Amino acid sequence: MINLIHTLEPTTMTILPTYQCTAACKECCFECNQQRSGRISLTNLLSYIDDACESFNSLQMIVFSGGECFLLGDDLISAVQKANYYKKKVRCVSNGYWAPNKKAAVARLKPLIDAGLTELNLSTGDEHQEWVPIQNIINAAIVGAELGIQVVITVEGSKEASFKYQELIVQPEIKDFLENNASSSNIKIIENVWISFHANKNYTHNKNTYRTASIVKKLEGCNNIFNNIVINPREEMISCCGLTFEHIPELHNGSLKKNRMKELYLKQFSDFMKIWIWVDGPESILYFASQKNDAIKYTGDYVHPCQTCVLIHNRKDVKETLLKHYHEKVNDVLFRYVLKKEIRKTDLLLLNN
């Protein structure tokens, strides 16, 4: 299979250099906190950026996340500088702990921007604000926008949330900036679904957020897989940056300490499940299983594809059903893979021109 259809290439590399964080959100997908130790060394960080940029001409952006990537200090500046050397866009994802005031925000952001940072993503909401005040987010966002980079503020989203998108945009300082400052177009605020990783906890969302059986055929495949090279703090290459990847062994492709990045990337195309996920998405795969086994119910209780992805990989009856019946989908999925691949190549050409 790898010789037939391996011509996809990634556009993004996401590096999670540490799972240590100044916060300890109860529903953090990677269970990050202050006690988590271990990180990728600067030498290896720079080596992985070299390897990715020299292996894939398609690469457009390098993302540093975590954990809290700002805990890398000057090493983060060096890594951003290396990415900029290859003329890649650079994004950092942070909780904004380093911006208690605008002076501190400038001190942390300006060296990164001078090194090549082009985008800052900030996370906030009920759980984040137990550790980082909303004023930090406002300070970081305004300073970043004034210094000329794109800033995205992501707010935890659920019906139970006390602090929602609406609460952020009426904060006097951010409201005034968005309405009256010429740099306001550099700030984008979005609300993202917040999901639980604990059996005794459940968040509810707007009705149209749930990925029910009635919309399965309208759902697109997962464009994160194959498109994103992900490196976790253990220096493993992961197939995607999904919320549940640490709970899915099949998405771990191998150690970068022992293998070249391109070898691990191409290895993915020997796995039909990954191709199927890229073409149809995990919800469609679960729905297919439910049509083959009456004991499997497609309930549509989930709001995020990563929730379904961990289910199709880890639930025994689903895995057994897919193993028994997947051959019924092979020809159709591979045909649509080729079509989708060609459309994607055309879209990338138009984007680059």
Side-chain angles (χ1 to χ4, degrees):
M1 191 178 296
I2 190 171
N3 293 325
L4 176 65
I5 53 172
H6 73 262
T7 52
L8 269 175
E9 288 199 339
T11 62
T12 304
M13 178 168 72
T14 298
I15 303 177
L16 311 172
T18 180
Y19 282 157
Q20 187 177 40
C21 187
T22 58
C25 298
K26 298 180 187 68
E27 301 299 345
C28 177
C29 56
F30 303 137
E31 300 178 344
C32 303
N33 58 49
Q34 301 93 330
Q35 284 72 48
R36 295 290 296 267
S37 60
R39 53 152 291 186
I40 302 174
S41 69
L42 177 60
T43 299
N44 286 3
L45 273 177
L46 301 182
S47 173
Y48 296 146
I49 295 170
D50 283 332
D51 194 358
C53 293
E54 291 167 6
S55 297
F56 302 105
N57 292 328
S58 56
L59 207 64
Q60 298 174 0
M61 174 175 281
I62 296 177
V63 181
F64 299 96
S65 187
E68 177 52 62
C69 65
F70 274 67
L71 290 174
L72 270 62
D74 289 346
D75 285 359
L76 181 60
I77 298 172
S78 297
V80 169
Q81 197 166 36
K82 171 67 79 168
N84 184 53
Y85 169 79
Y86 289 101
K87 296 179 170 47
K88 307 304 178 186
K89 296 177 183 176
V90 187
R91 174 190 300 155
C92 285
V93 182
S94 175
N95 66 27
Y97 79 93
W98 39 268
N101 54 64
K102 290 190 176 67
K103 182 177 180 181
V106 171
R108 291 303 298 272
L109 277 182
K110 192 170 187 312
L112 284 166
I113 293 169
D114 290 343
L117 181 67
T118 55
E119 183 181 319
L120 175 67
N121 282 20
L122 297 162
S123 305
T124 191
D126 287 357
E127 291 200 18
H128 281 89
Q129 287 175 35
E130 291 181 26
W131 306 93
V132 181
I134 188 58
Q135 187 60 50
N136 285 50
I137 299 297
I138 293 171
N139 293 336
I142 289 176
V143 167
E146 288 180 334
L147 290 174
I149 62 171
Q150 294 297 308
V151 179
V152 177
I153 305 174
T154 302
V155 184
E156 303 164 20
S158 74
K159 282 188 175 180
E160 291 79 11
S162 299
F163 189 92
K164 298 183 174 71
Y165 172 93
Q166 291 83 358
E167 279 66 46
L168 176 57
I169 61 175
V170 297
Q171 298 287 317
E173 192 171 2
I174 195 74
K175 183 175 185 292
D176 178 68
F177 185 85
L178 292 174
E179 291 177 353
N180 301 308
N181 194 288
S183 301
S184 62
S185 60
N186 288 338
I187 295 180
K188 180 180 180 181
I189 303 172
I190 63 175
E191 192 167 58
N192 201 8
V193 292
W194 192 247
I195 63 175
S196 176
F197 289 85
H198 298 89
N200 62 349
K201 181 72 175 178
N202 186 40
Y203 295 99
T204 56
H205 301 271
N206 294 328
K207 185 178 179 180
N208 61 0
T209 308
Y210 289 90
R211 303 168 82 85
T212 61
S214 63
I215 66 167
V216 164
K217 291 184 179 179
K218 299 177 184 177
L219 296 174
E220 297 181 354
C222 174
N223 289 320
N224 198 317
I225 201 166
F226 299 147
N227 190 54
N228 200 342
I229 297 172
V230 181
I231 305 172
N232 71 3
R234 297 187 296 280
E235 299 177 61
E236 300 167 318
M237 196 194 111
I238 316 297
S239 292
C240 73
C241 199
L243 300 175
T244 55
F245 78 68
E246 288 290 17
H247 303 276
I248 305 174
E250 291 87 347
L251 295 181
H252 294 236
N253 298 308
S255 172
L256 285 163
K257 296 177 182 178
K258 301 176 181 178
N259 303 278
R260 292 301 302 269
M261 195 173 293
K262 191 155 191 175
E263 292 171 0
L264 294 180
Y265 180 80
L266 294 179
K267 173 185 172 183
Q268 300 176 102
F269 296 91
S270 295
D271 184 348
F272 176 72
M273 177 65 90
K274 290 184 176 68
I275 295 169
W276 196 359
I277 290 170
W278 189 72
V279 172
D280 283 342
E283 293 96 347
S284 293
I285 296 172
L286 178 61
Y287 184 78
F288 172 80
S290 75
Q291 300 303 295
K292 298 297 178 180
N293 185 341
D294 291 339
I296 299 170
K297 306 298 181 184
Y298 188 94
T299 60
D301 292 336
Y302 293 148
V303 296
H304 199 287
C306 292
Q307 294 173 292
T308 310
C309 196
V310 75
L311 189 153
I312 63 175
H313 281 95
N314 291 345
R315 189 169 137 180
K316 185 178 179 182
D317 60 341
V318 175
K319 291 180 72 173
E320 290 176 348
T321 300
L322 292 174
L323 188 61
K324 183 178 179 180
H325 293 281
Y326 82 92
H327 63 275
E328 299 170 28
K329 298 288 291 185
V330 169
N331 288 340
D332 172 56
V333 168
L334 293 184
F335 175 72
R336 288 184 294 113
Y337 168 89
V338 174
L339 291 179
K340 183 176 177 179
K341 180 188 67 176
E342 292 305 312
I343 292 170
R344 180 176 180 268
K345 284 169 64 176
T346 301
D347 289 344
L348 289 175
L349 284 172
L350 291 173
L351 183 65
N352 291 331
N353 291 330

